[in-house]
Amino acid sequence: MVVTHTLDGLLPADVLARQDPELAEILLGELDRQSTTLQLIAAENFTSPAVLAALGSPLANKYAEGYPGARHHGGCELVDVAERLAVERAKVLFGAEHANVQSHSGSSAVLAAYAALLRPGDTVLALGLPHGGHLTHGSPANFSGRWFDFVGYGVDPESGLIDYEQVRSLARTHRPKAIVCGSISYPRHIDYAAFRAVADEVGAYLIADAAHPIGLVAGGAAPSPVPYADVVCATTHKVLRGPRGGMLLCGTELAERVDRAVFPFTQGGAQMHTIAAKAVAFGEAATPAFTAYAHQVVANAQALAAGLTAEGLAVTTGGTDTHLLTFDPAPLGVDGRSARGRLAAAGLVLDTCALPHPDVRGLRLGTAAVTTQGMGEVEMARIAVLFAAVLRDVHAARRVREEVRDLAGRFPPYPG
Ligand SMILES: *Cc1c(COP(=O)(O)O)cnc(C)c1O
């Protein structure tokens, strides 16, 4: 390939700053916010500059409906190579027979999985939303709850753990067409073999929505759903640290149905700049450095859980196997909703979430982003202390804000 153009001068932010200072100011302000506060939202991370470069590349201009070698548009020769590369890297990384990397988001990946396997009106068994299910697992506000008949299983109110016996008995009673495992806030490994056994017993498909743990799976720090699930849906932007987007993994026999469920059933043109960025992220995730990262993410979450426990907070399930943990701040005299605002004022950015007691709103935090910044267990222990200080005393926020700025400043996400 003869390359006559360079990217020099095309991509830098100062191009934007010169042409559109109003927008550039927003971008730089956001970079400043991300660099001076702590991103503890369990679904967030910092992509590498290489991923950002692919996202901001001329591939954003290309229309490419269809799949490599069978597009509805001309001029797809090079983007075909990029998509094949992304697919190959995903297959190797996850040991999957087939990968579809076109889903625009995690939710579109779930929509495609349902489209591939179900008909409207089918019964689906999934973790109930009050227990940590995602919107796409049967929320009445979402297509899933409108088009399918969802039955929810739960977590044990005392232990916070999935009750696999309940899953089995609900499956035997309702005979679902598919069972979904996966959550937005479950801090423990999921027993995919147990779900597979239940699915086999009642003749259901098993869909693993691994949007959260898929990055840990890539780094060998969590069990893989790939050998057990008929279809695995995932995001590429959470622990996996790629661009915002989704993907699907499955065996050869479902490959065509899954591909057709993405395009043309639920999507149009593929976003080739995002697919290229996914390829970059899969490449990064295949390195020993990423394996070390994934294990450090878990070690950090466990250190944070231990720190919060030492402060008198009850972490759900007593700890975590993953990058995320949840807790009820009530023992320190504040409810989840007001706690989130108070912590944000101190520069500690996180979400509220459902807890095993569905009437209580808790807090959910994750360590993917701070670990990318290079923080370790020492910093996590300190963050736990800062958390408790803000929760105990609203007036501590200002002092903690300064310490957070200082801490974040020592671990810049994009060292210049
Ligand atoms: C994040 C998430 C999704 C959706 O991903 P989006 O990219 O926000 O659409 C779906 N399912 C689960 C379990 C998730 O955690």
Side-chain angles (χ1 to χ4, degrees), residues 105-107 134 137 183-184 209 211-212 235 237-238:
S105 70
S107 299
H134 185 256
H137 303 173
S183 165
I184 60 172
D209 183 357
H212 268 278
T235 61
H237 52 273
K238 295 181 181 175

